[in-house]
Amino acid sequence: MSLGLFRAIAKLLPNPVLLCTADGHILAANPAAGRFVADLHAGADLLALATEDTDSLRLRMSQWLCSGDPLPGALTVKDSSGRSVRFRCHGARATWWDGPQAAVQLHMTRLDHADQFVVLSQQVTALNREVAFRRAAEAERERLLVAEQAARLRLQRLYRLTAALAAAATLAEVAQAVHDSAPEALNATDVILELHSQRLVPSLEPDDSLRAVAGTTWIDLDQRIPPTPHLPRSAPGQILTMAAPLTRARLEAGDLVLGNLAVHYGAGDPPEAEHVTAIVQQIAQAVRRAGLYEHEHRLAERLQRSLLPRAATVEGLDIASCYAPGANMVEVGGDWYDVHLLDADHVGFTIGDVAGHGIAEAALMTQISAALRSIVLRCGPHPAAVLDELNDFLFAYHRGRIATACYLVFHRRTRALCYAKAGHPPPLLINADGTSRYLDQALAPPLGAFPGMRYREAQVSLHEGDTLLLYTDGLIERRDESLDVGLARLRDLARHSGGWSVEDLCERFLHHQPDAEFPDDRALLAARFR
């Protein structure tokens, strides 16, 4: 990319974009930078304009220079009146720049300026007025206007591709964005991603398939079986009588070759090399980012599953469990469940959820689970006493942390189920005929909410064929929906559960809304009493 192309691309962007050297010398700035701070222009000294400590800013500039992917940061600049203007910014090395000094490409967003749509609309309106003025000018300017309109259309297509790639998080979304938007941006009949899946997600298990996750809109170069040839699609009104010319561009992120971008150009002239290079670099960065996202997702999910116990084998009971991560797939959660063999007459069940997501919450979950196992050895047949001690444990060692929990004890001889709850959703008791009810007694606040809390107990009688379903709130929570709606949905599903095994019951309840977005993790434990 040349400096002129950079200015042309950055000209229409609503937020400030700078190109500057490591010592703060601004090589280029788009018009938006001058609108926010008049002194942000080519030739200015960014270190002198910034209010931060010069050494700290130099260190940040060096970090941006070392990164091929945008790194976040913050920057405060004084305008000509002395007023401070705060920006959130993302900076990375401008790999396309071939000047004598390495340069940082800096994208800035004003923190106290939210209505970018109004600004963009004003810019479009001003641009339209300028176009109308130019059309009234002399014939030579008319010719220049036609060329300008063609360039603007190309930039709009490039912007649509950029926006689609920026919104894509997973490999499936990136591949779909390339499939839908890249042909138009490149003036091509078809664009095909050819990727090295094992370089994108190197830690896949033998039975794990990246194609199952990322869809079929790309070709896997690491497959042993050669992929089916991908035929180019025809543009509207165009009939392809023979294979369109094929050009391949290498997708690289740093020193890592991710694959190729295969482009089938139509009858028109292909775009300039700088335009193609800019698109290829954007796609490579999006593919690399999505590969890291998939990799982190797998690590987080495996960590979460490794922390959960396997379903125990208990005489006279059928037990199954399952777990699924929430929509934010790179964060582990604090859900847990367990089965406790107390003695010959008593079996305990527990399920709970630590508030929040992250490594700290997962670590706290393991400590709570370990403490609970110790507590049930002493007072396991008494659910209220177990939650009393677990609440004391949180206040003693993890003050300020909150967790919900439900602990239940089944007495074999009397077939009585005694339970206590600490702010957790009510367990669902499903009868053999499909009727069901929630165990909604013994209401109490979550663990860690009040010191010295003493929990209450409730009791129900179980019959042969009854099934107990324990779950965390991620199963019933939806955005903009009451919890009562989610609870009613589970009872409706229970009416059709006759003949299901406990394994089938867990899986069907876990995935009873395949198209819904689950913001939180889901953990289930089912026990059928024979």
Side-chain angles (χ1 to χ4, degrees), residues 268-287:
D269 295 332
E272 293 85 352
E274 293 86 354
H275 183 72
V276 176
T277 300
I279 291 178
V280 170
Q281 289 177 347
Q282 288 190 39
I283 293 175
Q285 291 178 7
V287 167

Side-chain angles (χ1 to χ4, degrees), residues 53-231:
D53 178 67
T54 302
D55 293 337
S56 300
L57 186 54
R58 286 184 185 276
L59 176 60
R60 197 176 315 152
M61 294 287 286
S62 65
Q63 293 172 343
W64 284 331
L65 276 174
C66 295
S67 174
D69 296 326
L71 295 179
L75 187 64
T76 302
V77 180
K78 284 189 177 181
D79 61 13
S80 56
S81 64
R83 182 173 55 91
S84 296
V85 182
R86 299 178 61 222
F87 293 94
R88 181 178 65 253
C89 50
H90 287 78
R93 185 187 185 97
T95 55
W96 54 268
W97 173 251
D98 56 358
Q101 289 183 281
V104 172
Q105 188 169 318
L106 197 60
H107 295 252
M108 305 166 66
T109 303
R110 186 171 172 178
L111 291 178
D112 58 347
H113 190 75
D115 198 0
Q116 297 292 341
F117 180 79
V118 174
V119 176
L120 183 59
S121 300
Q122 294 171 349
Q123 292 174 351
V124 171
T125 302
L127 183 60
N128 288 335
R129 286 197 297 265
E130 181 181 359
V131 169
F133 174 78
R134 290 187 178 184
R135 283 180 176 174
E138 55 196 43
E140 179 63 19
R141 297 190 65 183
E142 181 69 23
R143 184 185 66 81
L144 296 176
L145 178 60
V146 172
E148 180 183 346
Q149 289 174 334
R152 186 175 62 187
L153 176 61
R154 184 177 62 181
L155 288 174
Q156 288 175 345
R157 293 174 175 177
L158 177 60
Y159 177 76
R160 282 195 287 270
L161 173 62
T162 302
L165 292 175
T170 65
L171 279 169
E173 294 171 348
V174 170
Q176 193 63 47
V178 172
H179 179 268
D180 294 342
S181 303
E184 185 182 46
L186 289 166
N187 194 25
T189 59
D190 199 18
V191 172
I192 308 166
L193 273 178
E194 301 173 344
L195 303 177
H196 291 285
S197 61
Q198 294 181 7
R199 298 178 188 175
L200 291 172
V201 187
S203 61
L204 286 175
E205 295 177 351
D207 58 347
D208 199 359
S209 172
L210 180 60
R211 177 165 292 278
V213 176
T216 58
T217 55
W218 59 283
I219 293 175
D220 191 345
L221 297 178
D222 293 335
Q223 281 187 319
R224 295 182 180 180
I225 302 175
T228 303
H230 194 291
L231 297 178

Side-chain angles (χ1 to χ4, degrees), residues 188-486:
T189 59
D190 199 18
V191 172
I192 308 166
L193 273 178
E194 301 173 344
L195 303 177
H196 291 285
S197 61
Q198 294 181 7
R199 298 178 188 175
L200 291 172
V201 187
S203 61
L204 286 175
E205 295 177 351
D207 58 347
D208 199 359
S209 172
L210 180 60
R211 177 165 292 278
V213 176
T216 58
T217 55
W218 59 283
I219 293 175
D220 191 345
L221 297 178
D222 293 335
Q223 281 187 319
R224 295 182 180 180
I225 302 175
T228 303
H230 194 291
L231 297 178
R233 58 190 177 187
S234 60
Q238 177 187 8
I239 300 177
L240 294 178
T241 57
M242 59 183 294
L246 177 64
T247 302
R248 282 186 170 86
R250 182 176 294 180
L251 297 174
E252 296 178 313
D255 297 331
L256 183 63
V257 178
L258 306 176
N260 303 309
L261 184 70
V263 184
H264 291 276
Y265 289 110
D269 295 332
E272 293 85 352
E274 293 86 354
H275 183 72
V276 176
T277 300
I279 291 178
V280 170
Q281 289 177 347
Q282 288 190 39
I283 293 175
Q285 291 178 7
V287 167
R288 180 56 175 163
R289 182 181 67 247
L292 294 173
Y293 185 86
E294 300 279 1
H295 177 59
E296 292 174 0
H297 161 50
R298 282 161 174 74
L299 290 178
E301 185 174 359
R302 289 171 194 165
L303 173 61
Q304 181 71 39
R305 292 186 184 278
S306 68
L307 298 175
L308 295 173
R310 295 185 177 182
T313 301
V314 182
E315 182 181 355
L317 281 80
D318 296 327
I319 299 176
S321 60
C322 56
Y323 166 81
N328 190 355
M329 299 184 295
V330 298
E331 290 188 350
V332 293
D335 295 16
W336 88 87
Y337 52 76
D338 209 346
V339 178
H340 309 276
L341 302 180
L342 305 178
D343 52 43
D345 289 333
H346 297 88
V347 180
F349 306 92
T350 184
I351 192 162
D353 183 9
V354 176
H357 291 83
I359 298 297
E361 285 71 19
L364 178 58
M365 177 267 285
T366 60
Q367 295 183 50
I368 291 177
S369 182
L372 183 62
R373 289 183 175 182
S374 175
I375 293 171
V376 299
L377 292 177
R378 293 180 283 102
C379 48
H382 308 289
V386 170
L387 294 188
D388 290 346
E389 290 204 21
L390 198 56
N391 185 64
D392 294 340
F393 167 79
L394 272 182
F395 267 96
Y397 298 102
H398 303 283
R399 185 177 294 273
R401 303 308 301 270
I402 299 293
T404 66
C406 182
Y407 180 73
L408 312 90
V409 176
F410 174 61
H411 190 246
R412 295 178 184 272
R413 287 188 293 108
T414 63
R415 301 193 68 84
L417 181 70
C418 185
Y419 65 92
K421 296 188 303 176
H424 200 78
L428 181 63
L429 184 60
I430 306 173
N431 301 320
D433 59 0
T435 59
S436 61
R437 57 171 169 155
Y438 284 107
L439 305 184
D440 53 5
Q441 303 300 311
L443 299 177
L447 300 170
F450 299 100
M453 181 69 192
R454 293 299 171 255
Y455 291 86
R456 297 183 295 169
E457 297 179 355
Q459 183 171 303
V460 294
S461 296
L462 302 182
H463 303 88
E464 183 177 349
D466 287 350
T467 302
L468 178 67
L469 180 68
L470 307 178
Y471 56 92
T472 54
D473 56 4
L475 188 67
I476 57 175
E477 281 186 344
R478 302 290 184 277
R479 291 188 175 93
D480 303 323
E481 181 180 277
S482 169
L483 287 180
D484 292 337
V485 176

